[in-house]
Amino acid sequence: MFALALFAVFFAVALAGLPLMYSLLATTVGFIVVGGLGHPLTSVYLSYIGGVEPFILIAVPLFIFAGELLSEGGVGRRIVNFAHALLGWLPGGLGVVTVASCLMFGGVSGSAIADTAAIGSMVIPAMVKQGYSRGFAAALLAVAGTLALLMPLSIPFLVYAFISGVSMRQLSMAGIVPALVMAVALIVVCIWYGRKSGCDNGRERSTLPQIWFATKDAGPALLMPIIIIGGIWSGLFTPTEAASIAVVYGLCISIFLYKDIGWHDLPRLILKAFSTSATVMLVIGATGALAWLITVEQVAAQLAEWVRVVATEPWMFLAMVNVALLLLGIFIEPLPAMLLTVPLLLPMANALNIDLIHLGVVVTANLALALYTPPVGGTLFVAAKLADASIGEITRALVPLFAASLVVLGIITFVPSMTSVVYKLLF
Amino acid sequence: MISPGLHQHASADDLIQARPAQRGLLPPAPPAPAPLRLIGDAVDWSIIGIGAVMIVLVFINVVMHSFGKDMAATTEMCELLMVWVTFLGGAAAARRGVHMAITELIDKLGTGPRRLMDLAISAASAAVLASLVWYGWGITVAGWTNRLTVLDIPMSLQYLALPVASFITLLFVLWDGLQILRGRSHQERFGCN
């Protein structure tokens, strides 16, 4: 009853438009004061400060900064050229190039919005010129951009690893196969669309010199995920150190090699990255304050007990998680949704002996859908703006892509070996 | 940034385009009185400075790590700076109206009800921030004798970020509340944000 009242009040306040960090703090303090719970408010605010200081979280602004550098530093364009030279000959070739580019750029940026914006600004005009509908071009970018969330530098993975205490190394590796399967599913839809609409039957195959030029040009950018993934996998560096290397590498190739940005761009990019990160970190800190109240009031134990009654099998729990997160994702963006739900899901998952790394991939894959589920969503809005398409047009074109994503989500959820195959093999 | 040449027979060479146009040193901020603009710019440059120092410190640690050495002071310093850059980043975000919020419902309101809701949100935000300043200062004063393990400086230098940044954020929120009372819409106050 306490838990229900707590979440009802929080959601009412948050849906009224109060910024999430204030909603979380106001709810926590309000329950203590009005409910006469007698807890010292100093403890709430100390939990708030404590929530933003852990060293691992320094990786969040660094990854965001690296993503900004690569987005503006011309890396996306070179990746698109590379994918075009290799895959442009397939039916639905431009769509296939889009998916492959988003997958590769996602491997270096870790941000779905950056992925959609960087790749979309280049391929959407070309797709429209080729005869793709604006709705399909935007829908494809909105979906393919979210592949970044399942790749090793994923920012939601980092946040989940912090909240749940699982190894970021293992979680990074766990997302690779689901990302590849999701990409293949989207490529199949693109080939089907290209054939059905007749707008894109594939171009001539690239000549070897063309492929060599594109590979040489994109080489430094393509090397980055190899260095980062290899470093994390081998244990050579921690995720925070990997983020720092991503920044330095990104600076080198964007400023010295590609020269698409200069030193004068750095203040703006640093400010953007650190203030964007602050909006996330402050919600993490405020969630820490609410989590403190949940712990002292033993709400987690009550929820775990409730799950033992309602969901007796892991698959039932995971199915419930899917439905709940898909519904939540209609209204809330992935990171806040993750911050609000994961602390509650963890005790329940532990009660059912569910692998927390598998749960992390399931939660992230679910919340990736939230980014393009109409009527609101980050990648949906970016893609709509780039393609100059209405949400209605995109929604209609989204149907086959959404269906393919749901099928893959089902596989990720109910076939745990899909997530565990890589990290169990490597560690 | 639109690529003109990604058509059927474009060579990879054709797809490369001119670099993006040069932009200002800082992103734009909403109009405000000179003292508030000065505070806002000081916050922006502090974030840039702290962020740059953190990037360098973490990278130095990586280099040291590869030589089998570790700088414990770097970790503690980065945690201290992380708290400051996060709370100051919150102030910069409040100045530009970009804090995470669910606005889909209130966006559907008419001008009058929306203005009332904006005012209520501003008042509630100010109340939370005033409480953060009050309790944050209390925590800072109480923790002055405790010292950080490696850096051996008062732990309160870390806690101080909470009341200082919350006070600055409160100024931005109160200024925004005044703009709402003057009848300015969200679009007029924050532009495209």
Side-chain angles (χ1 to χ4, degrees):
Chain A
M1 193 58 203
F2 178 81
L4 201 65
L6 192 69
F7 296 120
V9 169
F10 164 68
F11 277 109
V13 176
L15 287 173
L18 187 65
L20 289 178
M21 66 163 183
Y22 302 139
S23 302
L24 286 158
L25 289 173
T27 306
T28 308
V29 172
F31 264 76
I32 293 173
V33 174
V34 178
L37 299 178
H39 304 304
L41 293 188
T42 308
S43 304
V44 173
Y45 294 121
L46 278 172
S47 304
Y48 180 47
I49 299 173
V52 303
E53 84 175 355
F55 190 70
I56 184 174
L57 289 181
I58 294 169
V60 175
L62 296 186
F63 275 138
I64 295 176
F65 183 47
E68 293 286 341
L69 281 172
L70 298 172
S71 290
E72 296 205 12
V75 168
R77 189 169 71 243
R78 281 146 179 111
I79 285 178
V80 170
N81 289 343
F82 173 68
H84 199 233
L86 282 185
L87 301 167
W89 57 273
L90 284 166
L94 272 179
V96 177
V97 166
T98 301
V99 176
S101 303
C102 284
L103 187 72
M104 287 186 272
F105 192 79
V108 295
S109 82
S111 159
I113 303 285
D115 206 3
T116 305
I119 303 300
S121 60
M122 283 166 281
V123 295
I124 286 179
M127 287 175 83
V128 172
K129 194 173 174 187
Q130 180 79 35
Y132 285 78
S133 73
R134 287 185 181 274
F136 185 83
L140 181 63
L141 254 301
V143 179
T146 64
L147 289 170
L149 300 191
L150 293 170
M151 293 301 279
L153 298 187
S154 158
I155 292 165
F157 272 177
L158 193 73
V159 172
Y160 178 87
F162 169 68
I163 301 173
S164 66
V166 302
S167 155
M168 180 59 186
R169 284 172 69 201
Q170 294 186 346
L171 190 58
S172 297
M173 299 301 143
I176 292 175
V177 173
L180 291 174
V181 174
M182 189 69 88
V184 169
L186 296 180
I187 283 173
V188 169
V189 175
C190 290
I191 292 174
W192 166 80
Y193 181 89
R195 281 198 174 134
K196 191 194 84 159
S197 66
C199 70
D200 187 358
N201 294 312
R203 47 168 251 172
E204 288 168 14
R205 281 178 190 260
S206 300
T207 61
L208 276 178
Q210 283 172 329
I211 293 175
W212 167 241
F213 177 84
T215 309
K216 198 175 67 168
D217 199 35
L222 296 172
L223 205 59
M224 183 167 158
I226 296 169
I227 295 170
I228 301 298
I229 295 169
I232 294 177
W233 166 66
S234 63
L236 200 64
F237 33 79
T238 64
T240 310
E241 292 170 343
S244 153
I245 290 166
V247 166
V248 173
Y249 193 83
L251 277 172
C252 290
I253 57 174
S254 301
I255 293 182
F256 299 120
L257 190 66
Y258 294 153
K259 298 178 181 170
D260 276 26
I261 57 171
W263 293 105
H264 61 273
D265 291 305
L266 293 187
R268 180 177 50 82
L269 293 177
I270 292 177
L271 177 63
K272 194 175 170 193
F274 279 84
S275 56
T276 302
S277 143
T279 61
V280 177
M281 305 300 300
L282 290 175
V283 177
I284 292 181
T287 311
L290 184 69
W292 177 84
L293 181 63
I294 286 173
T295 308
V296 293
E297 289 294 317
Q298 298 188 322
V299 173
Q302 292 166 21
L303 284 171
E305 193 53 42
W306 177 75
V307 166
R308 272 199 199 96
V309 176
V310 178
T312 51
E313 297 292 331
W315 71 265
M316 288 182 189
F317 170 73
L318 290 170
M320 281 168 53
V321 168
N322 276 349
V323 173
L325 291 180
L326 284 175
L327 290 175
L328 195 64
I330 293 174
F331 305 102
I332 305 181
E333 293 289 291
L335 273 180
M338 176 176 272
L339 292 165
L340 299 175
T341 54
V342 169
L344 302 175
L345 296 177
L346 291 174
M348 305 185 201
N350 277 326
L352 290 165
N353 290 323
I354 291 170
D355 178 4
L356 293 186
I357 289 180
H358 178 226
L359 180 68
V361 178
V362 171
V363 168
T364 307
N366 260 293
L367 294 177
L369 266 72
L371 278 166
Y372 54 84
T373 311
V376 293
T379 59
L380 183 73
F381 287 156
V382 171
K385 201 171 168 186
L386 290 171
D388 194 18
S390 72
I391 299 297
E393 277 176 272
I394 301 174
T395 304
R396 283 187 291 279
L398 195 59
V399 173
L401 297 161
F402 198 81
S405 303
L406 276 182
V407 170
V408 177
L409 177 64
I411 298 171
I412 294 171
T413 305
F414 299 114
V415 186
S417 57
M418 190 173 162
T419 54
S420 62
V421 63
V422 176
Y423 80 82
K424 284 194 174 159
L425 203 70
L426 295 177
F427 299 108
Chain B
M1 215 164 77
I2 294 172
S3 169
L6 225 168
H7 52 78
Q8 271 210 313
H9 300 290
S11 71
D13 202 16
D14 294 333
L15 302 179
I16 294 192
Q17 55 179 26
R19 54 179 102 152
Q22 190 171 329
R23 301 177 183 88
L25 277 179
L26 293 178
L36 216 51
R37 271 204 321 272
L38 270 176
I39 294 172
D41 289 350
V43 167
D44 285 353
W45 283 107
S46 302
I47 294 167
I48 293 163
I50 296 172
V53 169
M54 285 172 69
I55 290 166
V56 172
L57 281 179
V58 178
F59 189 69
I60 288 175
N61 211 26
V62 175
V63 176
M64 301 281 285
H65 198 171
S66 62
F67 289 108
K69 292 180 181 168
D70 205 7
M71 288 168 63
T74 309
T75 306
E76 210 168 70
M77 177 57 95
C78 281
E79 285 177 350
L80 170 75
L81 295 177
M82 183 68 179
V83 173
W84 273 97
V85 83
T86 299
F87 285 116
L88 288 174
R95 182 188 185 199
R96 294 177 173 85
V98 292
H99 269 296
M100 280 189 189
I102 304 168
T103 58
E104 281 71 26
L105 292 181
I106 60 167
D107 283 346
K108 295 195 187 332
L109 295 174
T111 315
R114 173 66 200 252
R115 194 176 147 206
L116 278 178
M117 279 307 293
D118 280 350
L119 208 55
I121 289 166
S122 195
S125 303
V128 175
L129 286 163
S131 151
L132 287 172
V133 173
W134 180 261
Y135 280 94
W137 182 249
I139 291 169
T140 306
V141 172
W144 204 258
T145 49
N146 300 331
R147 301 185 83 80
L148 290 171
T149 321
V150 183
L151 293 175
D152 194 32
I153 55 172
M155 204 174 263
S156 287
L157 288 177
Q158 194 167 21
Y159 299 150
L160 190 61
L162 180 62
V164 169
S166 298
F167 180 72
I168 296 170
T169 313
L170 182 60
L171 294 179
F172 292 137
V173 169
L174 290 176
W175 168 251
D176 186 46
L178 193 64
Q179 299 303 299
I180 299 167
L181 282 174
R182 286 175 178 169
R184 300 215 168 112
S185 68
H186 189 270
Q187 178 73 24
E188 287 167 326
R189 281 162 19 236
F190 296 112
C192 59
N193 294 327

